[in-house]
Amino acid sequence: MTVPDKENLRERNGPTRWRARREQAPVVAVVALGGALGATARYAVSQWLPTPAGGFPWAIFWVNVSGCAVIGVFMVVITDVWAAHHLVRPFFGTGVLGGFTTFSTYTVDIQRLVDSGHARTGLAYLAATPCAALAAVWLAMTAARRVLKWRQP
């Protein structure tokens, strides 16, 4: 099997596809960098607040709730106030906050709680996290908009 060279790929895929890939490279890079920072911060919180066996996973709960609150403020600022550089949103919103918040660990925590005989704790966590996360986004957005309105002359 032969590997096509770049010229053959360009002919087959066209210049538009190559240009699009080149333009997306900085976005992918800042998302990856932000994700690494956010995931490192989440790991630090989980080490700072370890969850005992069968206990409520407070660290991940607060990571998700606080991350959602920051997302709410960030979206108000970036849409209503600040015309940010085009890489700020992918870096901070998708990368940092996407890496910080973790709904995959949330589901694994629920499964572990249920499997270890702590179904009530798992169900409480199952219900509390999305309710608290949605409330945090809404409250943060509402508060940010009120502060911004209050500060306008």
Side-chain angles (χ1 to χ4, degrees):
M1 178 177 190
T2 60
V3 177
D5 61 42
K6 284 186 179 179
E7 290 305 317
N8 287 339
L9 282 175
R10 284 189 182 138
E11 287 175 20
R12 191 173 69 208
N13 294 330
T16 304
R17 183 172 281 172
W18 282 96
R19 191 175 321 113
R21 287 181 184 167
R22 234 186 349 255
E23 290 170 359
Q24 289 300 311
V27 175
V28 172
V30 298
V31 169
L33 177 62
L37 294 172
T40 300
R42 176 182 27 140
Y43 177 76
V45 172
S46 70
Q47 294 302 299
W48 182 57
L49 292 170
T51 302
F56 193 89
W58 288 107
I60 299 302
F61 176 81
W62 288 116
V63 158
N64 286 331
V65 172
S66 64
C68 286
V70 174
I71 287 169
V73 172
F74 177 66
M75 291 310 295
V76 167
V77 168
I78 205 154
T79 57
D80 297 357
V81 177
W82 181 39
H85 186 275
H86 76 279
L87 294 176
V88 170
R89 190 173 182 170
F91 171 74
F92 191 71
T94 305
V96 173
L97 294 175
F100 184 64
T101 58
T102 172
F103 286 90
S104 58
T105 301
Y106 156 75
T107 58
V108 169
D109 286 343
I110 293 166
Q111 186 65 49
R112 286 183 182 160
L113 286 165
V114 171
D115 289 347
S116 66
H118 299 93
R120 285 186 182 172
T121 305
L123 290 173
Y125 185 47
L126 175 70
T129 297
C131 291
L134 289 170
V137 169
W138 182 81
L139 287 169
M141 289 179 76
T142 302
R145 284 193 174 114
R146 285 188 180 170
V147 167
L148 290 171
K149 190 175 184 180
W150 172 72
R151 293 192 74 205
Q152 289 178 350

